[in-house]
Amino acid sequence: MARLGILAGGGALPVALHAAHPDAFVVTFAGVAHQMGDAAPAFPFEKIGSLYGALRDSGVTDVVFAGALSRPPLDPEQFDPAMIALAPRLLAAMQRGDDAILRLVVETFEAEGFTVRGAHELLPGLTAKAGLFAGPEPTDADTQDAKRGFEILRETAPLDIGQGCVVAQGLCLGFETLQGTDAMLRFVAQTPDRLRARARGGVLVKTPKAGQDLRVDMPAVGPDTLRGAAAAGLNGVVITAGNVVVLEPAKLKAVAEELNLFLLVEGTAP
């Protein structure tokens, strides 16, 4: 019988996956903060061969990558034979961006005989259907800002930079880069009042990049995203249906109501 392996990073998603699949074999990564407790073994990125072996020894056939992972510092002196073989391709992928790295990771695990699954395949209801998910109705200005945000993300997708941006009154106040959505929202919150005079309110737009492998890199929003958006003075958050993870949906709705912030799910990017 197939057994699932959860390769856990930070955040609530690995916890939710393990709750839904309690027989799964959970592993974490050395130096990566997580919420999986002390029982889950931690593997150094330099020892990927030992990770393959542990998965096989535990009967794992399918793996799912879940939670936040940042690019780790790698110590070549600690590389095991599997990592030494992978290193030239990995270094080349790092020069092309995160999508290239993630495609390589998927290819590597598939070459080792594992089936890579998406979290959205394993957790029904992980994404949202089109419509107003929570909070007040967006205004016409909010709708126009969202349209502008999707336009920005569509044009920048080939550059493999980020999955989100903030737009207010047609002006781009922030763009997600390697530091992530929370860092972008903190940056927007620090925008001087003299620059926000023409750009009150605004929206955060999040959607996958064109061609992105959603099995390993689906964008996500959660309660902390809404809190960050509120701290940045935004009116709401706009995502697309079926391809953005909605973390802790009940709590998300409660936070949206508390902050008077909308979460809108578009059927397709306008």
Side-chain angles (χ1 to χ4, degrees):
M1 181 179 294
R3 187 182 186 193
L4 179 67
I6 300 175
L7 281 61
L13 181 55
V15 178
L17 274 167
H18 194 215
H21 300 271
D23 293 331
F25 178 61
V26 180
V27 301
T28 62
F29 297 93
V32 175
H34 61 85
Q35 301 177 21
M36 304 308 297
D38 297 331
F43 289 86
F45 287 98
E46 293 90 346
K47 308 291 186 185
I48 194 169
S50 63
L51 172 57
Y52 297 150
L55 292 170
R56 290 195 184 94
D57 290 346
S58 299
V60 170
T61 57
D62 296 15
V63 296
V64 58
F65 295 84
L69 285 174
S70 58
R71 292 192 189 190
L74 297 175
D75 181 359
E77 293 186 359
Q78 301 300 317
F79 285 3
D80 66 8
M83 192 61 173
I84 290 172
L86 179 62
R89 298 169 63 201
L90 180 61
L91 291 174
M94 284 181 170
Q95 299 304 312
R96 299 197 301 272
D98 285 348
D99 281 355
I101 295 172
L102 292 170
R103 281 194 295 271
L104 176 60
V105 169
V106 170
E107 291 171 8
T108 301
F109 273 82
E110 289 178 337
E112 291 291 328
F114 299 105
T115 298
V116 179
R117 306 284 298 277
H120 59 294
E121 302 173 44
L122 301 166
L123 275 180
L126 189 61
T127 61
K129 297 179 180 179
L132 183 63
F133 186 86
E137 288 283 347
T139 65
D140 289 342
D142 295 328
T143 301
Q144 289 302 309
D145 282 340
K147 184 176 180 179
R148 173 66 171 156
F150 281 115
E151 177 186 355
I152 290 169
L153 294 175
R154 185 163 50 246
E155 291 298 319
T156 56
L159 301 176
D160 188 15
I161 300 173
Q163 304 168 325
C165 66
V166 171
V167 176
Q169 301 299 313
L171 300 175
C172 184
L173 301 185
F175 190 88
E176 183 186 70
T177 54
L178 182 64
Q179 291 83 358
T181 303
D182 292 345
M184 174 185 63
L185 291 172
R186 289 193 296 270
F187 174 79
V188 172
Q190 294 167 5
T191 304
D193 288 342
R194 60 183 176 80
L195 297 179
R196 289 296 292 268
R198 289 182 49 221
R200 295 297 179 190
V203 300
L204 163 65
V205 178
K206 287 207 74 170
T207 193
K209 293 167 283 190
Q212 188 172 323
D213 191 333
L214 298 179
R215 292 176 296 172
V216 291
D217 191 25
M218 185 179 284
V221 296
D224 286 344
T225 311
L226 295 190
R227 294 188 184 99
L234 306 185
N235 295 333
V237 177
V238 184
I239 62 175
T240 41
N243 56 20
V244 177
V245 173
V246 177
L247 297 170
E248 302 178 272
K251 187 174 181 180
L252 196 64
K253 290 182 178 182
V255 171
E257 298 296 336
E258 173 191 340
L259 299 175
N260 196 35
L261 203 76
F262 67 80
L263 176 57
L264 178 67
V265 184
E266 293 279 8
T268 56

